[in-house]
Amino acid sequence: GDAVVEGGVEGLVEVLKDPLRRQDWDQTFVEGGMLQKYDDSHSIVRFVRCQKASSNDQESPHWDWALLQSHHVVPAPEGGGRGDMQVLVWQSVQHRLLPQNPKFQRGHLGFEAYLMTPTDDGKTSVTVLLQMSVQEQYGGALV
């Protein structure tokens, strides 16, 4: 989906990169954090998310995600004027710091990407791309 949000790209990137701040804007977020930071652009994060928009709903299935989080800057073309595009991407990985937790189902995220470009009026244009599947206990899938 596409949206235009108040504020600059840099501030939005900082909010999106911080797994502890995800609860401020993602209604499906239950818990999570940074597992390992490789550099300023790459880290392993953990998210637990629920199917419904209320993380307090204990009846809703909860999924555990181990994700590689990557941050990329795409320079604006010469004379582009608006500024660089910034891209945040998360994708599922298997990681020794996050073995399967029997309390949760393991989710698989092909990718979740946020493409952010500054607008002429100081706002940020955001495009969100998502590919995921969640294998349920009885073999069904939510895609």
Side-chain angles (χ1 to χ4, degrees):
D2 296 307
V4 175
V5 298
E6 297 289 332
V9 173
E10 291 78 14
L12 184 57
V13 166
E14 290 307 311
V15 168
L16 293 174
K17 280 178 69 173
D18 184 350
L20 298 178
R21 293 185 65 185
R22 193 166 185 112
Q23 65 190 359
D24 297 338
W25 57 272
D26 183 349
Q27 294 179 344
T28 67
F29 185 80
V30 177
E31 64 184 65
M34 180 83 60
L35 294 176
Q36 186 170 8
K37 184 173 182 176
Y38 295 107
D39 56 39
D40 288 339
S41 297
H42 302 90
S43 56
I44 301 294
V45 297
R46 173 182 178 253
F47 296 160
V48 174
R49 294 165 112 175
C50 65
Q51 182 176 1
K52 295 188 180 171
S54 170
S55 61
N56 295 324
D57 183 357
Q58 296 304 314
E59 298 295 314
S60 177
H62 287 61
W63 292 286
D64 196 18
W65 313 80
L67 304 168
L68 172 63
Q69 175 178 282
S70 303
H71 175 220
H72 309 276
V73 177
V74 180
E78 285 288 324
R82 288 190 182 167
D84 299 338
M85 173 189 287
Q86 299 209 30
V87 180
L88 281 173
V89 179
W90 293 267
Q91 60 190 118
S92 286
V93 294
Q94 300 227 356
H95 199 278
R96 62 180 168 71
L97 294 177
L98 188 62
Q100 178 70 42
N101 183 333
K103 286 180 23 180
F104 306 115
Q105 297 176 39
R106 178 54 53 105
H108 176 77
L109 185 64
F111 66 87
E112 179 176 352
Y114 289 72
L115 290 71
M116 297 160 282
T117 308
T119 63
D120 291 331
D121 58 359
K123 297 179 182 177
T124 301
S125 173
V126 182
T127 299
V128 179
L129 306 169
L130 177 68
Q131 178 190 33
M132 66 180 255
S133 69
V134 179
Q135 294 298 319
E136 301 211 310
Q137 186 172 358
Y138 299 106
L142 168 68
V143 179

